Amino acid sequence: MEFKEVIGRRRSIRFFDPDKPVEREKIQVILETARLASSAVNAHWLRAIVVERDKFPKEKLDQLKTPVAALTLDLAPVHIYFFMDLGIVNKIKGSRLKELVDVGALAPSHGWSHKFVDDFVYPQILEPMTKNLQGYLVAAAADAGGAAQNALLAAFDEGLGACLNTPNPALASQVFGVPADWVSLWVMLVGYPSESWEAGGQRPRPPFEELYFDGEYGKPFHRDPAVVERLKAAKMIQAPAPLPGRRDEIRRLTEQYGLPE
């Protein structure tokens, strides 16, 4: 698929084919895209634990269920639990910034060198940042979110469906026995969709000019109709929900899987 169409056809899928396994190579593709995401100071906070539902102990799976995700955990063949490693900055002490210096991504013309990292960036910026927990959490979570979004889009590009859910953070950390400085973020449920992304339609979003501003607050960034039409042609902007047939599809799926109506 083309990039814009991947963006356009992404939906939060909640009806998965529970009997169709996901190939491990597709899981690897999802993880590879997360690894290649942009990351401040090249820290890469995101960590993931992949659970194949049918290979995971049932008692642990039941522990991880929440009121809003119990059914989808049963339906989705693969669950990817995302965490962020808050200890990584003080473990690597700027070494990954030096790697960027070595490959020319951070150039001397911009003031970068190994000495600059050792004498200034790590001791005066990065280490103090980790002691301001509130600000540090925001920075790390923003970067982890970008990596998780890469992974989410990759699932759709591989012909899969996916949905991000919030697990119980204390239970997720306990069940997987992660280090104390890992923070639970999301579980991405992955599988082959039973529901049709076309029938679902694009989900509601706020108006464009309510979200984005031109140079100053209160001056909306003008939405050019010609650009909208170009994005429709590229299948990034699609027919909005609700579409005819969606309710019928839900009734069919609930009957197929014996779910409550």
Side-chain angles (χ1 to χ4, degrees), residues 21-259:
V22 176
E23 300 87 342
R24 284 188 67 85
E25 57 264 33
K26 292 192 175 186
I27 300 172
Q28 181 177 337
V29 168
I30 290 169
L31 299 175
E32 296 276 8
T33 61
R35 191 178 71 93
L36 292 174
S38 173
S39 179
V41 302
N42 210 21
H44 295 276
W45 285 275
L46 192 73
R47 301 289 180 268
I49 295 177
V50 178
V51 169
E52 294 181 74
R53 182 201 60 206
D54 292 342
K55 298 179 181 178
F56 198 61
K58 185 179 183 305
E59 63 274 12
K60 289 188 175 184
L61 182 64
D62 288 342
Q63 277 184 273
L64 292 166
K65 290 180 179 178
T66 66
V68 297
L71 175 60
T72 42
L73 261 69
D74 283 335
L75 291 176
V78 173
H79 313 159
I80 302 177
Y81 282 84
F82 287 126
F83 298 82
M84 58 182 177
D85 177 4
L86 293 183
I88 190 61
V89 168
N90 287 329
K91 290 173 189 171
I92 60 176
K93 300 184 186 300
S95 62
R96 290 185 190 159
L97 284 172
K98 295 180 190 176
E99 290 177 6
L100 295 181
V101 171
D102 292 340
V103 301
L106 296 176
S109 59
H110 292 56
W112 287 95
S113 66
H114 283 215
K115 180 175 174 57
F116 181 60
V117 173
D118 286 338
D119 294 352
F120 178 72
V121 178
Y122 176 69
Q124 296 191 42
I125 299 176
L126 300 184
E127 187 179 27
M129 175 183 74
T130 65
K131 295 175 181 176
N132 173 12
L133 187 57
Q134 184 176 1
Y136 185 39
L137 280 168
V138 170
D143 265 27
Q149 181 70 6
N150 269 19
L152 189 66
L153 294 176
F156 286 84
D157 192 50
E158 290 292 310
L160 301 165
C163 180
L164 284 173
N165 280 271
T166 304
N168 181 312
L171 283 176
S173 297
Q174 177 185 327
V175 166
F176 293 111
V178 300
D181 49 12
W182 282 27
V183 174
S184 173
L185 293 172
W186 314 280
V187 54
M188 189 169 91
L189 304 175
V190 183
Y192 284 92
S194 293
E195 59 182 305
S196 163
W197 61 272
E198 296 102 325
Q202 246 174 1
R203 309 294 161 79
R205 294 293 186 267
F208 182 91
E209 290 167 337
E210 182 181 305
L211 300 175
Y212 310 117
F213 302 93
D214 193 354
E216 59 182 304
Y217 174 74
K219 180 184 176 183
F221 190 99
H222 173 65
R223 194 185 198 204
D224 187 338
V227 175
V228 172
E229 291 306 311
R230 181 162 69 88
L231 295 178
K232 286 180 178 178
K235 301 181 181 179
M236 178 173 156
I237 297 178
Q238 300 181 2
L243 295 181
R246 175 57 174 169
R247 295 294 179 186
D248 292 335
E249 179 180 58
I250 292 173
R251 281 192 288 271
R252 175 182 61 77
L253 290 167
T254 54
E255 182 178 341
Q256 179 180 344
Y257 296 129
L259 305 174

